[in-house]
Amino acid sequence: MPLAMIVIAAFLLGAAIGWARAAKAGGGTADKLQYAAAHALALTVLALFLSIVLTRMG
């Protein structure tokens, strides 16, 4: 289960990074939610790819 935790952590980290970037740019709530969703999705895909590679390597 540790690999699944990496994906979950990447999702949460991506959402936090996206929210912070939108807040720093002065965006409203909708902007913050959109940035959070986009960053969360991107980091989740990367983490999923990483977990697949690590699983295949043994």
Side-chain angles (χ1 to χ4, degrees), residues 2-58:
L3 293 178
M5 293 175 70
I6 292 172
V7 175
I8 294 168
F11 177 83
L12 295 175
L13 180 65
I17 290 171
W19 188 277
R21 286 189 66 194
K24 185 177 180 182
T29 304
D31 296 321
K32 292 175 186 174
L33 289 172
Q34 182 179 2
Y35 269 62
H39 282 75
L41 229 135
L43 281 182
T44 301
V45 168
L46 287 174
L48 187 59
F49 178 72
L50 177 66
S51 67
I52 290 170
V53 168
L54 290 175
T55 302
R56 301 272 269 164
M57 287 177 60

